[in-house]
Amino acid sequence: MENIKNIILEILEKNSRVSIEDMAAMLGMTADEIAAAIDEMINDQIICGYTTLINWDKTEREFVTAMIEVKVTPQRDRGFEKIAERISGFEEVKAVYLMAGAYDLLVMMDGKNIRDISYFISSKLSPLDSVLSTSTHFVLKKYKDHGVVFEKKKEDDERMIVTP
């Protein structure tokens, strides 16, 4: 059953709009079996939600995405958990990842402009007791996100130009 669950997850990750009936037909199962597997994965918090991937550059919405590298002091008996939970609690924060390498946490967030991001870092993030330093990177353009290429380039015609 674990293998089937992984296949269901892969299908949903590529297209969360696939119907249960279509998945059942693809996997040679009944719709009730698929629905039960999905419900179990939701209850086990394996499936945590469904989202839509949007190319915001094609809309009127103006905002800035920032990736903030954060160095922190891990806490005794809790490691990075407590500070990661605290940072995750801020409404502005979209994601928090524990990293290996030069910094400890990667915080992703959106703001209306650079000033909003700067305000968040200076007034909310940096003052936290465990935060030692931050380094902020701003996304200038997304080419690919969650496996989706945003600007598909038209195929160049590589045929030789022949003129009479």
Side-chain angles (χ1 to χ4, degrees), residues 5-20 23 26 34 37-39 41-42 47 49-51:
K5 286 182 179 179
N6 287 338
I7 294 169
I8 292 170
L9 291 171
E10 289 172 7
I11 292 169
L12 288 173
E13 188 175 44
K14 289 179 184 165
N15 182 2
S16 62
R17 295 185 69 187
V18 173
S19 71
I20 290 174
M23 265 193 276
M26 291 165 57
I34 298 292
I38 290 173
D39 287 344
M41 290 186 284
I42 289 170
I47 296 175
Y50 299 90
T51 61

PDB file of all heavy atoms in Angstrom, residues 5-20 23 26 34 37-39 41-42 47 49-51:
ATOM      1  N   LYS A   5       0.508   4.659  -2.257  1.00  0.00           N
ATOM      2  CA  LYS A   5       0.410   5.998  -1.674  1.00  0.00           C
ATOM      3  C   LYS A   5       1.439   6.937  -2.300  1.00  0.00           C
ATOM      4  O   LYS A   5       1.134   8.088  -2.600  1.00  0.00           O
ATOM      5  CB  LYS A   5       0.592   5.946  -0.154  1.00  0.00           C
ATOM      6  CG  LYS A   5      -0.597   5.382   0.576  1.00  0.00           C
ATOM      7  CD  LYS A   5      -0.365   5.416   2.070  1.00  0.00           C
ATOM      8  CE  LYS A   5      -1.547   4.874   2.820  1.00  0.00           C
ATOM      9  NZ  LYS A   5      -1.307   4.876   4.275  1.00  0.00           N
ATOM     10  N   ASN A   6       2.648   6.450  -2.494  1.00  0.00           N
ATOM     11  CA  ASN A   6       3.678   7.287  -3.124  1.00  0.00           C
ATOM     12  C   ASN A   6       3.296   7.659  -4.549  1.00  0.00           C
ATOM     13  O   ASN A   6       3.521   8.790  -4.982  1.00  0.00           O
ATOM     14  CB  ASN A   6       5.034   6.573  -3.109  1.00  0.00           C
ATOM     15  CG  ASN A   6       5.641   6.541  -1.726  1.00  0.00           C
ATOM     16  OD1 ASN A   6       5.308   7.344  -0.871  1.00  0.00           O
ATOM     17  ND2 ASN A   6       6.526   5.593  -1.500  1.00  0.00           N
ATOM     18  N   ILE A   7       2.697   6.721  -5.277  1.00  0.00           N
ATOM     19  CA  ILE A   7       2.258   7.011  -6.650  1.00  0.00           C
ATOM     20  C   ILE A   7       1.138   8.051  -6.628  1.00  0.00           C
ATOM     21  O   ILE A   7       1.139   8.990  -7.427  1.00  0.00           O
ATOM     22  CB  ILE A   7       1.818   5.712  -7.367  1.00  0.00           C
ATOM     23  CG1 ILE A   7       3.034   4.795  -7.559  1.00  0.00           C
ATOM     24  CG2 ILE A   7       1.162   6.028  -8.705  1.00  0.00           C
ATOM     25  CD1 ILE A   7       2.696   3.389  -8.014  1.00  0.00           C
ATOM     26  N   ILE A   8       0.196   7.908  -5.694  1.00  0.00           N
ATOM     27  CA  ILE A   8      -0.892   8.890  -5.556  1.00  0.00           C
ATOM     28  C   ILE A   8      -0.307  10.266  -5.247  1.00  0.00           C
ATOM     29  O   ILE A   8      -0.711  11.277  -5.846  1.00  0.00           O
ATOM     30  CB  ILE A   8      -1.894   8.459  -4.462  1.00  0.00           C
ATOM     31  CG1 ILE A   8      -2.666   7.212  -4.905  1.00  0.00           C
ATOM     32  CG2 ILE A   8      -2.856   9.600  -4.118  1.00  0.00           C
ATOM     33  CD1 ILE A   8      -3.497   6.570  -3.813  1.00  0.00           C
ATOM     34  N   LEU A   9       0.663  10.314  -4.341  1.00  0.00           N
ATOM     35  CA  LEU A   9       1.293  11.593  -3.989  1.00  0.00           C
ATOM     36  C   LEU A   9       1.992  12.215  -5.196  1.00  0.00           C
ATOM     37  O   LEU A   9       1.899  13.429  -5.410  1.00  0.00           O
ATOM     38  CB  LEU A   9       2.288  11.399  -2.843  1.00  0.00           C
ATOM     39  CG  LEU A   9       1.675  11.065  -1.486  1.00  0.00           C
ATOM     40  CD1 LEU A   9       2.759  10.681  -0.488  1.00  0.00           C
ATOM     41  CD2 LEU A   9       0.830  12.215  -0.974  1.00  0.00           C
ATOM     42  N   GLU A  10       2.685  11.414  -5.988  1.00  0.00           N
ATOM     43  CA  GLU A  10       3.357  11.933  -7.180  1.00  0.00           C
ATOM     44  C   GLU A  10       2.350  12.490  -8.179  1.00  0.00           C
ATOM     45  O   GLU A  10       2.575  13.544  -8.780  1.00  0.00           O
ATOM     46  CB  GLU A  10       4.209  10.841  -7.823  1.00  0.00           C
ATOM     47  CG  GLU A  10       5.442  10.504  -7.008  1.00  0.00           C
ATOM     48  CD  GLU A  10       6.199   9.290  -7.534  1.00  0.00           C
ATOM     49  OE1 GLU A  10       5.853   8.770  -8.614  1.00  0.00           O
ATOM     50  OE2 GLU A  10       7.137   8.857  -6.838  1.00  0.00           O
ATOM     51  N   ILE A  11       1.232  11.811  -8.343  1.00  0.00           N
ATOM     52  CA  ILE A  11       0.182  12.296  -9.256  1.00  0.00           C
ATOM     53  C   ILE A  11      -0.363  13.629  -8.752  1.00  0.00           C
ATOM     54  O   ILE A  11      -0.491  14.597  -9.511  1.00  0.00           O
ATOM     55  CB  ILE A  11      -0.946  11.253  -9.398  1.00  0.00           C
ATOM     56  CG1 ILE A  11      -0.433  10.007 -10.154  1.00  0.00           C
ATOM     57  CG2 ILE A  11      -2.157  11.861 -10.125  1.00  0.00           C
ATOM     58  CD1 ILE A  11      -1.386   8.831 -10.108  1.00  0.00           C
ATOM     59  N   LEU A  12      -0.687  13.684  -7.460  1.00  0.00           N
ATOM     60  CA  LEU A  12      -1.245  14.916  -6.889  1.00  0.00           C
ATOM     61  C   LEU A  12      -0.248  16.067  -6.912  1.00  0.00           C
ATOM     62  O   LEU A  12      -0.631  17.223  -7.096  1.00  0.00           O
ATOM     63  CB  LEU A  12      -1.725  14.676  -5.455  1.00  0.00           C
ATOM     64  CG  LEU A  12      -2.984  13.840  -5.304  1.00  0.00           C
ATOM     65  CD1 LEU A  12      -3.247  13.537  -3.841  1.00  0.00           C
ATOM     66  CD2 LEU A  12      -4.179  14.544  -5.930  1.00  0.00           C
ATOM     67  N   GLU A  13       1.033  15.751  -6.707  1.00  0.00           N
ATOM     68  CA  GLU A  13       2.050  16.804  -6.708  1.00  0.00           C
ATOM     69  C   GLU A  13       2.172  17.441  -8.091  1.00  0.00           C
ATOM     70  O   GLU A  13       2.369  18.648  -8.202  1.00  0.00           O
ATOM     71  CB  GLU A  13       3.394  16.225  -6.275  1.00  0.00           C
ATOM     72  CG  GLU A  13       4.459  17.288  -6.073  1.00  0.00           C
ATOM     73  CD  GLU A  13       5.747  16.704  -5.530  1.00  0.00           C
ATOM     74  OE1 GLU A  13       6.182  15.649  -6.003  1.00  0.00           O
ATOM     75  OE2 GLU A  13       6.306  17.329  -4.613  1.00  0.00           O
ATOM     76  N   LYS A  14       2.016  16.647  -9.132  1.00  0.00           N
ATOM     77  CA  LYS A  14       2.086  17.177 -10.498  1.00  0.00           C
ATOM     78  C   LYS A  14       0.817  17.919 -10.899  1.00  0.00           C
ATOM     79  O   LYS A  14       0.862  18.899 -11.631  1.00  0.00           O
ATOM     80  CB  LYS A  14       2.361  16.055 -11.507  1.00  0.00           C
ATOM     81  CG  LYS A  14       3.764  15.527 -11.414  1.00  0.00           C
ATOM     82  CD  LYS A  14       4.003  14.414 -12.404  1.00  0.00           C
ATOM     83  CE  LYS A  14       5.402  13.856 -12.190  1.00  0.00           C
ATOM     84  NZ  LYS A  14       5.590  12.579 -12.835  1.00  0.00           N
ATOM     85  N   ASN A  15      -0.342  17.419 -10.422  1.00  0.00           N
ATOM     86  CA  ASN A  15      -1.612  18.044 -10.775  1.00  0.00           C
ATOM     87  C   ASN A  15      -2.644  17.707  -9.705  1.00  0.00           C
ATOM     88  O   ASN A  15      -3.258  16.645  -9.750  1.00  0.00           O
ATOM     89  CB  ASN A  15      -2.089  17.567 -12.151  1.00  0.00           C
ATOM     90  CG  ASN A  15      -3.386  18.231 -12.565  1.00  0.00           C
ATOM     91  OD1 ASN A  15      -3.934  19.072 -11.855  1.00  0.00           O
ATOM     92  ND2 ASN A  15      -3.903  17.837 -13.709  1.00  0.00           N
ATOM     93  N   SER A  16      -2.848  18.632  -8.772  1.00  0.00           N
ATOM     94  CA  SER A  16      -3.773  18.370  -7.666  1.00  0.00           C
ATOM     95  C   SER A  16      -5.232  18.403  -8.102  1.00  0.00           C
ATOM     96  O   SER A  16      -6.118  18.116  -7.305  1.00  0.00           O
ATOM     97  CB  SER A  16      -3.545  19.362  -6.528  1.00  0.00           C
ATOM     98  OG  SER A  16      -3.789  20.676  -6.963  1.00  0.00           O
ATOM     99  N   ARG A  17      -5.479  18.709  -9.357  1.00  0.00           N
ATOM    100  CA  ARG A  17      -6.857  18.742  -9.849  1.00  0.00           C
ATOM    101  C   ARG A  17      -7.297  17.415 -10.463  1.00  0.00           C
ATOM    102  O   ARG A  17      -8.433  17.288 -10.908  1.00  0.00           O
ATOM    103  CB  ARG A  17      -7.003  19.868 -10.873  1.00  0.00           C
ATOM    104  CG  ARG A  17      -6.808  21.241 -10.235  1.00  0.00           C
ATOM    105  CD  ARG A  17      -7.063  22.338 -11.200  1.00  0.00           C
ATOM    106  NE  ARG A  17      -8.485  22.362 -11.514  1.00  0.00           N
ATOM    107  CZ  ARG A  17      -9.019  23.128 -12.441  1.00  0.00           C
ATOM    108  NH1 ARG A  17      -8.265  23.928 -13.147  1.00  0.00           N
ATOM    109  NH2 ARG A  17     -10.306  23.100 -12.678  1.00  0.00           N
ATOM    110  N   VAL A  18      -6.414  16.424 -10.481  1.00  0.00           N
ATOM    111  CA  VAL A  18      -6.788  15.110 -11.011  1.00  0.00           C
ATOM    112  C   VAL A  18      -7.903  14.541 -10.140  1.00  0.00           C
ATOM    113  O   VAL A  18      -7.805  14.535  -8.918  1.00  0.00           O
ATOM    114  CB  VAL A  18      -5.575  14.146 -11.018  1.00  0.00           C
ATOM    115  CG1 VAL A  18      -5.995  12.736 -11.406  1.00  0.00           C
ATOM    116  CG2 VAL A  18      -4.504  14.648 -11.950  1.00  0.00           C
ATOM    117  N   SER A  19      -8.952  14.057 -10.773  1.00  0.00           N
ATOM    118  CA  SER A  19     -10.079  13.530 -10.002  1.00  0.00           C
ATOM    119  C   SER A  19      -9.735  12.162  -9.422  1.00  0.00           C
ATOM    120  O   SER A  19      -8.874  11.441  -9.925  1.00  0.00           O
ATOM    121  CB  SER A  19     -11.325  13.418 -10.886  1.00  0.00           C
ATOM    122  OG  SER A  19     -11.160  12.355 -11.816  1.00  0.00           O
ATOM    123  N   ILE A  20     -10.435  11.825  -8.376  1.00  0.00           N
ATOM    124  CA  ILE A  20     -10.254  10.517  -7.736  1.00  0.00           C
ATOM    125  C   ILE A  20     -10.596   9.410  -8.735  1.00  0.00           C
ATOM    126  O   ILE A  20      -9.912   8.385  -8.799  1.00  0.00           O
ATOM    127  CB  ILE A  20     -11.109  10.426  -6.454  1.00  0.00           C
ATOM    128  CG1 ILE A  20     -10.511  11.349  -5.386  1.00  0.00           C
ATOM    129  CG2 ILE A  20     -11.214   8.998  -5.953  1.00  0.00           C
ATOM    130  CD1 ILE A  20     -11.324  11.479  -4.125  1.00  0.00           C
ATOM    131  N   MET A  23      -7.685   8.970 -11.131  1.00  0.00           N
ATOM    132  CA  MET A  23      -6.581   8.270 -10.467  1.00  0.00           C
ATOM    133  C   MET A  23      -6.892   6.787 -10.323  1.00  0.00           C
ATOM    134  O   MET A  23      -6.015   5.941 -10.521  1.00  0.00           O
ATOM    135  CB  MET A  23      -6.315   8.880  -9.088  1.00  0.00           C
ATOM    136  CG  MET A  23      -5.236   9.920  -9.108  1.00  0.00           C
ATOM    137  SD  MET A  23      -4.699  10.329  -7.451  1.00  0.00           S
ATOM    138  CE  MET A  23      -5.924  11.525  -7.011  1.00  0.00           C
ATOM    139  N   MET A  26      -6.299   5.173 -13.595  1.00  0.00           N
ATOM    140  CA  MET A  26      -4.868   5.101 -13.885  1.00  0.00           C
ATOM    141  C   MET A  26      -4.187   3.987 -13.108  1.00  0.00           C
ATOM    142  O   MET A  26      -3.260   3.345 -13.617  1.00  0.00           O
ATOM    143  CB  MET A  26      -4.195   6.443 -13.534  1.00  0.00           C
ATOM    144  CG  MET A  26      -4.577   7.589 -14.436  1.00  0.00           C
ATOM    145  SD  MET A  26      -4.136   9.227 -13.779  1.00  0.00           S
ATOM    146  CE  MET A  26      -2.409   9.101 -13.512  1.00  0.00           C
ATOM    147  N   ILE A  34      -8.958   4.868  -3.513  1.00  0.00           N
ATOM    148  CA  ILE A  34      -8.142   6.075  -3.666  1.00  0.00           C
ATOM    149  C   ILE A  34      -8.548   7.112  -2.626  1.00  0.00           C
ATOM    150  O   ILE A  34      -7.699   7.709  -1.955  1.00  0.00           O
ATOM    151  CB  ILE A  34      -8.270   6.662  -5.094  1.00  0.00           C
ATOM    152  CG1 ILE A  34      -7.765   5.668  -6.149  1.00  0.00           C
ATOM    153  CG2 ILE A  34      -7.559   8.008  -5.206  1.00  0.00           C
ATOM    154  CD1 ILE A  34      -6.282   5.409  -6.115  1.00  0.00           C
ATOM    155  N   ALA A  37      -7.248   6.184   0.776  1.00  0.00           N
ATOM    156  CA  ALA A  37      -5.800   6.406   0.882  1.00  0.00           C
ATOM    157  C   ALA A  37      -5.500   7.892   1.060  1.00  0.00           C
ATOM    158  O   ALA A  37      -4.662   8.271   1.882  1.00  0.00           O
ATOM    159  CB  ALA A  37      -5.088   5.855  -0.351  1.00  0.00           C
ATOM    160  N   ILE A  38      -6.187   8.743   0.302  1.00  0.00           N
ATOM    161  CA  ILE A  38      -5.982  10.192   0.406  1.00  0.00           C
ATOM    162  C   ILE A  38      -6.415  10.689   1.785  1.00  0.00           C
ATOM    163  O   ILE A  38      -5.705  11.462   2.427  1.00  0.00           O
ATOM    164  CB  ILE A  38      -6.723  10.941  -0.722  1.00  0.00           C
ATOM    165  CG1 ILE A  38      -6.021  10.665  -2.062  1.00  0.00           C
ATOM    166  CG2 ILE A  38      -6.792  12.443  -0.441  1.00  0.00           C
ATOM    167  CD1 ILE A  38      -6.756  11.203  -3.269  1.00  0.00           C
ATOM    168  N   ASP A  39      -7.573  10.230   2.270  1.00  0.00           N
ATOM    169  CA  ASP A  39      -8.046  10.633   3.602  1.00  0.00           C
ATOM    170  C   ASP A  39      -7.042  10.231   4.684  1.00  0.00           C
ATOM    171  O   ASP A  39      -6.771  11.002   5.603  1.00  0.00           O
ATOM    172  CB  ASP A  39      -9.410  10.012   3.904  1.00  0.00           C
ATOM    173  CG  ASP A  39     -10.535  10.657   3.120  1.00  0.00           C
ATOM    174  OD1 ASP A  39     -10.326  11.778   2.584  1.00  0.00           O
ATOM    175  OD2 ASP A  39     -11.619  10.047   3.026  1.00  0.00           O
ATOM    176  N   MET A  41      -3.810   9.836   4.298  1.00  0.00           N
ATOM    177  CA  MET A  41      -2.620  10.688   4.188  1.00  0.00           C
ATOM    178  C   MET A  41      -2.897  12.101   4.699  1.00  0.00           C
ATOM    179  O   MET A  41      -2.001  12.749   5.233  1.00  0.00           O
ATOM    180  CB  MET A  41      -2.100  10.692   2.754  1.00  0.00           C
ATOM    181  CG  MET A  41      -1.482   9.349   2.360  1.00  0.00           C
ATOM    182  SD  MET A  41      -0.698   9.338   0.737  1.00  0.00           S
ATOM    183  CE  MET A  41      -2.122   9.268  -0.355  1.00  0.00           C
ATOM    184  N   ILE A  42      -4.123  12.569   4.572  1.00  0.00           N
ATOM    185  CA  ILE A  42      -4.493  13.872   5.137  1.00  0.00           C
ATOM    186  C   ILE A  42      -4.474  13.778   6.670  1.00  0.00           C
ATOM    187  O   ILE A  42      -3.916  14.639   7.349  1.00  0.00           O
ATOM    188  CB  ILE A  42      -5.872  14.341   4.625  1.00  0.00           C
ATOM    189  CG1 ILE A  42      -5.765  14.724   3.143  1.00  0.00           C
ATOM    190  CG2 ILE A  42      -6.404  15.512   5.452  1.00  0.00           C
ATOM    191  CD1 ILE A  42      -7.101  14.976   2.463  1.00  0.00           C
ATOM    192  N   ILE A  47      -0.342  14.727   3.369  1.00  0.00           N
ATOM    193  CA  ILE A  47      -0.908  15.756   2.491  1.00  0.00           C
ATOM    194  C   ILE A  47      -1.305  16.905   3.409  1.00  0.00           C
ATOM    195  O   ILE A  47      -2.161  16.756   4.278  1.00  0.00           O
ATOM    196  CB  ILE A  47      -2.130  15.233   1.705  1.00  0.00           C
ATOM    197  CG1 ILE A  47      -1.712  14.106   0.763  1.00  0.00           C
ATOM    198  CG2 ILE A  47      -2.799  16.377   0.930  1.00  0.00           C
ATOM    199  CD1 ILE A  47      -2.870  13.447   0.028  1.00  0.00           C
ATOM    200  N   GLY A  49      -2.083  20.204   2.293  1.00  0.00           N
ATOM    201  CA  GLY A  49      -2.882  21.244   1.665  1.00  0.00           C
ATOM    202  C   GLY A  49      -2.747  21.166   0.164  1.00  0.00           C
ATOM    203  O   GLY A  49      -1.954  20.391  -0.374  1.00  0.00           O
ATOM    204  N   TYR A  50      -3.535  21.957  -0.506  1.00  0.00           N
ATOM    205  CA  TYR A  50      -3.506  22.034  -1.964  1.00  0.00           C
ATOM    206  C   TYR A  50      -3.329  23.496  -2.337  1.00  0.00           C
ATOM    207  O   TYR A  50      -4.005  24.363  -1.795  1.00  0.00           O
ATOM    208  CB  TYR A  50      -4.819  21.510  -2.562  1.00  0.00           C
ATOM    209  CG  TYR A  50      -5.093  20.060  -2.231  1.00  0.00           C
ATOM    210  CD1 TYR A  50      -5.804  19.705  -1.092  1.00  0.00           C
ATOM    211  CD2 TYR A  50      -4.629  19.047  -3.058  1.00  0.00           C
ATOM    212  CE1 TYR A  50      -6.046  18.378  -0.780  1.00  0.00           C
ATOM    213  CE2 TYR A  50      -4.871  17.713  -2.767  1.00  0.00           C
ATOM    214  CZ  TYR A  50      -5.578  17.389  -1.626  1.00  0.00           C
ATOM    215  OH  TYR A  50      -5.816  16.077  -1.329  1.00  0.00           O
ATOM    216  N   THR A  51      -2.405  23.774  -3.250  1.00  0.00           N
ATOM    217  CA  THR A  51      -2.167  25.158  -3.654  1.00  0.00           C
ATOM    218  C   THR A  51      -2.181  25.284  -5.170  1.00  0.00           C
ATOM    219  O   THR A  51      -2.084  24.300  -5.895  1.00  0.00           O
ATOM    220  CB  THR A  51      -0.807  25.664  -3.136  1.00  0.00           C
ATOM    221  OG1 THR A  51       0.219  24.861  -3.702  1.00  0.00           O
ATOM    222  CG2 THR A  51      -0.724  25.608  -1.627  1.00  0.00           C
TER     223      THR A  51
END
